[in-house]
Amino acid sequence: MVALVLGLLLLVPALGLLAGGGVLLWADQSQRTGDGFLLSPSGDVSTDGYALTSDRIDLGTDADWVPVSAALGTTMVRADGSGPDLFIGIGPSDQVASYLGDVQHAVLDDLGEDGAVIDREVAGGAPAGPPGAQPLWTEQTSGPGRQQLTWEPADGDWTVVVMNADGSAGVSADLRVGAELPALTGIAWGVLIGGALLTLVAVAIVLLAIRRPRARGELPPAAPPATAGPPPGWQPPAPRTDASGDPVRGSSRDQVT
């Protein structure tokens, strides 16, 4: 019973690993764009202010031998707009805060998980100048229609900003973020193989538990010993006698018989 319960308990996480590995492998093989990015759901957001910004993105790590770019690969921010030319920029959070600290703007929440959602509106005035004229951006792009910014992640605190290219108020865009995630293939196969091995172990334990074991010390039944001589219950024939009780001497044929 203990082995049976243990096998069933191992089977539950094993099947979970198989399912998780399958989902990761499916996403890795079938959900990438033509240029190799995995994209978040889209989020149509707008503000009456002058900018849409992400929360502070903390990419710090205490392990210098694990670069952030190795896990994320190239990242991407895509914005589709139907109004004025759009600007997308990413820069150090402290410098972005200096530029937009007194500017009316909206801060996005959970960018990349369930699509872009506005978390809060920050009161303020107009920016000191159009975003493209600021020297703070690590990467930037601007223009009409769809704009796509790609960036190689690095350690530090970063903020993504979407504005009208001329710095005017009333920003509206359909936003998506994505990343190459080059490690996803190896992670998916690792989870899948681990789940398969754990499933085999769990099934083996269950089969051993339900198999009827031979009683300890039990031996197969022995064959009856072979016997020689007449069959049981056989008795020799009584000698023939005459009327006086004397034995009768028979013929040689009778004696042989």
Side-chain angles (χ1 to χ4, degrees), residues 9 41 56 64 73 77-78 107 109 140 143 160 179 217 219 253 255-256:
L9 289 177
R56 180 187 298 263
D64 295 336
V77 180
R78 178 184 293 175
V107 180
D109 184 32
Q140 61 177 304
V160 177
L219 296 176
R253 180 179 177 182
Q255 294 178 358
V256 171

Side-chain angles (χ1 to χ4, degrees), residues 26-201:
W26 166 79
D28 179 65
Q29 300 297 321
S30 65
Q31 299 301 300
R32 292 185 180 274
T33 62
D35 45 3
F37 289 98
L38 286 170
L39 296 179
S40 70
S42 62
D44 191 2
V45 289
S46 61
T47 178
D48 293 332
Y50 296 87
L52 295 165
T53 73
S54 69
D55 265 328
R56 180 187 298 263
I57 302 172
D58 183 6
L59 295 183
T61 175
D62 295 331
D64 295 336
W65 50 274
V66 184
V68 176
S69 58
L72 294 177
T74 302
T75 59
M76 180 263 289
V77 180
R78 178 184 293 175
D80 290 290
S82 56
D85 292 358
L86 285 178
F87 169 90
I88 307 174
I90 184 167
S93 294
D94 54 349
Q95 297 184 40
V96 172
S98 297
Y99 172 55
L100 296 177
D102 298 326
V103 174
Q104 180 184 356
H105 64 281
V107 180
L108 303 176
D109 184 32
D110 293 334
L111 182 62
E113 294 184 9
D114 299 320
V117 178
I118 292 180
D119 179 47
R120 63 187 183 275
E121 294 276 357
V122 179
Q134 311 305 314
L136 62 95
W137 310 110
T138 302
E139 296 289 348
Q140 61 177 304
T141 185
S142 63
R146 172 174 291 183
Q147 296 300 305
Q148 182 168 301
L149 172 72
T150 57
W151 174 61
E152 297 294 335
D155 290 351
D157 295 333
W158 307 93
T159 300
V160 177
V161 177
V162 178
M163 300 177 65
N164 293 328
D166 59 2
S168 61
V171 183
S172 179
D174 187 3
L175 298 178
R176 302 184 77 178
V177 298
E180 290 180 333
L181 299 177
L184 183 61
T185 304
I187 293 173
W189 279 111
V191 173
L192 199 61
I193 293 173
L197 293 177
L198 191 58
T199 300
L200 291 177
V201 172

